Amino acid sequence: MRTFTFLLLIAVVLLLEQTVLNFLRVAGVKPDLVLLLIVFNGMLKGSREGAYWGFVAGLVQDLAGGYYIGLNALSKLLAGYAAGLVEVRVYKESLLVAAAVVWGASVVSGSATFLLLLVLGIAVTPLDAFLRVVFPLAVYNSLLSLLFYRPFHRATFYGILREERY
Amino acid sequence: MPSWQYVKRVLLVLVLLGLALSAMHLTGPDRTGKPSLLVLWARDVVAPVQHGLWQAARVVSAGAAFVFSFGRDTGYTRSLEKKVAELQGEVKRLRVVEQENSRLKALLDYKETHGGASLVAVVIGRNPDNWFGTITINRGRADGVTRGAVAVTPAGLVGRVLTVSNHTAEVLLITDPRSAVGSAVYETQVPGIVWGTLGEVERLKMQYVVKDEPVRKGFLVRTSSLSGVFPPGIPVGTVTRVAEEESGLFKTVYLRPAVDLNRLEEVLILLKQ
């Protein structure tokens, strides 16, 4: 059930990213809600599940786009894994910790995407990539995490994203 | 000495990385030509929901703009802004036509430039990430749209169709880093290639502009007659900055797109004959 709910959540968020979030651009960027889901999940469930769901969500995003299958899968896998590394190390119920982890994971994911674009021969200058996308997006995502982390935390332990135990 | 467990893990990561990189290369738009049938079918199915969400968000956004501008940003001011952009595009187009007439170009083919079959399409979505620049429109193969068809507005060039499903099409914007447009500076006729920089950034880069030719801020750049993809004479952008290239042979010209690509609502698709 959790798997199905998480997949549905990813699909809905992707649809929002293609439509509604275009009207919520700040400093030229729109938030990456798929990344938020992955990072929250990684923080609460550990690096193994963080990486797994990062890969799955990224792959869904790639398949929906139809091109460069693997680009988002790899960058989001890394973000999920990185977020999972803090699982046992810090006080993960704190909003500020969540915001900091989201910032870091967004930078990891953005840097990976930038490098992969270079590998694909798509020329984006480092200045443009980091000043216009990676850092503004990391700040935007981390601010939004203050809004969404608590509901996700509750859903993971007591709500629709809770693991079933038989 | 690393343990066998560690070596196995590293090997697995390397294999996964290799597979992902190969998949990325093999599924680039220049390789595959088009996404799988399943993806195209899914786009058709999702299109009505996407259209509804886009329209709803547009209405909410317009309402919010009205409130936060203390009533100054109304539908009337937006329609005036749109009209100004259209008129500016018209002026630019007329300047181009005037120049071409004055040179008595016998090969001027007005129909090819502006008079071919076309249809209006409504924007219903945009790429989900912040790197690429594509829009989804509500017209597809069933309406006669084909891959490579050019998208414009009265103000200038928008891009070209990258993929087509039955009822939707994905347009590659000229700001996308994968986009290249054969262009020329209107005032001096010096040619160059206009590249996108980042999908969400309203800035273009024109390269391979011969160093000796004068190009200044405010000059108009339009599609070139040498471009095999775009009809000639469509405004692409206005020069904002000129920089020397390190090689010393060329200069790089930075442009602001003629069309406000972040506020697109409808586009005109020039159908291929």
Side-chain angles (χ1 to χ4, degrees):
Chain A
M1 187 63 188
R2 183 176 193 269
T3 304
F4 174 75
T5 314
F6 210 84
L7 278 174
L8 192 70
L9 209 55
I10 290 167
V12 170
V13 161
L14 260 179
L15 197 59
L16 290 178
E17 284 189 359
Q18 288 176 345
T19 53
V20 180
L21 296 189
N22 287 289
F23 297 91
L24 295 175
R25 280 204 206 95
V26 176
V29 291
K30 57 187 167 193
D32 190 344
L33 295 188
V34 175
L35 190 79
L36 278 192
L37 286 180
I38 288 158
V39 175
F40 291 165
N41 187 59
M43 277 182 73
L44 300 174
K45 295 284 177 178
S47 53
R48 184 181 281 245
E49 192 162 334
Y52 170 73
W53 274 108
F55 180 78
V56 171
L59 195 64
V60 171
Q61 193 171 348
D62 288 331
L63 290 173
Y67 290 123
Y68 305 123
I69 312 286
L71 178 68
N72 283 297
L74 270 185
S75 63
K76 290 202 160 63
L77 179 151
L78 280 175
Y81 183 79
L85 290 178
V86 301
E87 190 218 0
V88 288
R89 290 185 175 81
V90 294
Y91 180 59
K92 61 189 179 189
E93 283 173 11
S94 156
L95 273 183
L96 287 179
V97 169
V101 173
V102 166
W103 190 90
S106 299
V107 172
V108 167
S109 167
S111 307
T113 306
F114 170 64
L115 290 176
L116 290 171
L117 288 180
L118 289 187
V119 171
L120 287 168
I122 298 170
V124 177
T125 63
L127 210 64
D128 275 341
F130 285 93
L131 290 186
R132 290 174 182 271
V133 177
V134 178
F135 290 133
L137 182 61
V139 172
Y140 200 171
N141 282 344
S142 61
L143 287 176
L144 279 186
S145 69
L146 299 175
L147 209 63
F148 292 123
Y149 183 64
R150 284 267 158 81
F152 190 91
H153 187 276
R154 254 198 314 274
T156 302
F157 292 110
Y158 314 107
I160 53 168
L161 292 174
R162 170 178 91 232
E163 308 262 13
E164 280 94 6
R165 293 181 198 283
Y166 298 102
Chain B
M1 183 78 183
S3 67
W4 173 235
Q5 196 74 15
Y6 178 76
V7 172
K8 257 198 328 193
R9 199 171 286 177
V10 170
L11 278 177
L12 184 70
V13 168
L14 287 177
V15 169
L16 267 179
L17 194 66
L19 280 175
L21 287 174
S22 313
M24 263 186 279
H25 270 290
L26 290 173
T27 52
D30 44 342
R31 289 285 184 102
T32 54
K34 61 177 186 179
S36 71
L37 287 176
L38 186 68
V39 170
L40 295 178
W41 174 81
R43 282 185 192 173
D44 282 339
V45 171
V46 172
V49 182
Q50 209 174 5
H51 193 176
L53 277 173
W54 183 273
Q55 292 300 334
R58 199 162 65 85
V59 171
V60 172
S61 164
F66 177 76
V67 171
F68 287 114
S69 69
F70 301 105
R72 286 194 300 276
D73 187 1
T74 61
Y76 181 64
T77 52
R78 272 197 308 283
S79 73
L80 282 180
E81 277 174 13
K82 201 173 166 185
K83 191 79 188 160
V84 167
E86 280 177 18
L87 289 173
Q88 280 174 339
E90 185 69 8
V91 169
K92 285 171 189 168
R93 192 178 66 79
L94 288 175
R95 277 164 68 193
V96 169
V97 173
E98 186 187 14
Q99 188 206 33
E100 282 174 350
N101 280 340
S102 69
R103 288 183 187 171
L104 298 172
K105 277 188 176 175
L107 292 177
L108 176 69
D109 187 350
Y110 186 81
K111 185 169 170 53
E112 189 195 332
T113 313
H114 302 286
S118 58
L119 58 87
V120 176
V122 175
V123 177
I124 61 167
R126 207 171 162 127
N127 56 305
D129 56 77
N130 286 290
W131 299 90
F132 297 124
T134 60
I135 52 169
T136 309
I137 54 171
N138 69 338
R139 302 281 198 162
R141 199 178 299 115
D143 305 290
V145 179
T146 50
R147 185 176 150 91
V150 175
V152 297
T153 70
L157 185 65
V158 172
R160 66 189 157 87
V161 172
L162 191 64
T163 54
V164 195
S165 68
N166 269 340
H167 303 291
T168 67
E170 190 183 15
V171 175
L172 183 77
L173 299 178
I174 52 172
T175 47
D176 187 292
R178 295 166 292 176
S179 163
V181 182
S183 308
V185 178
Y186 152 70
E187 283 82 356
T188 55
Q189 292 304 307
V190 57
I193 299 174
V194 175
W195 302 89
T197 48
L198 267 175
E200 306 295 329
V201 176
E202 293 275 294
R203 194 186 57 179
L204 303 166
K205 192 159 78 171
M206 186 176 183
Q207 286 187 310
Y208 310 118
V209 178
V210 180
K211 194 183 171 189
D212 299 336
E213 296 284 351
V215 179
R216 280 191 291 276
K217 191 177 169 183
F219 277 15
L220 169 69
V221 174
R222 59 187 186 125
T223 51
S224 151
S225 53
L226 296 174
S227 166
V229 180
F230 300 95
I234 304 173
V236 176
T238 313
V239 175
T240 54
R241 189 162 66 88
V242 181
E244 300 288 332
E245 270 186 25
E246 280 177 13
S247 68
L249 296 172
F250 301 104
K251 49 189 164 196
T252 302
V253 177
Y254 292 91
L255 315 172
R256 189 181 64 247
V259 180
D260 184 353
L261 296 167
N262 279 334
R263 296 174 73 172
L264 280 175
E265 288 175 20
E266 297 101 17
V267 294
L268 192 70
I269 302 294
L270 308 180
L271 298 178
K272 284 183 168 178
Q273 300 299 307

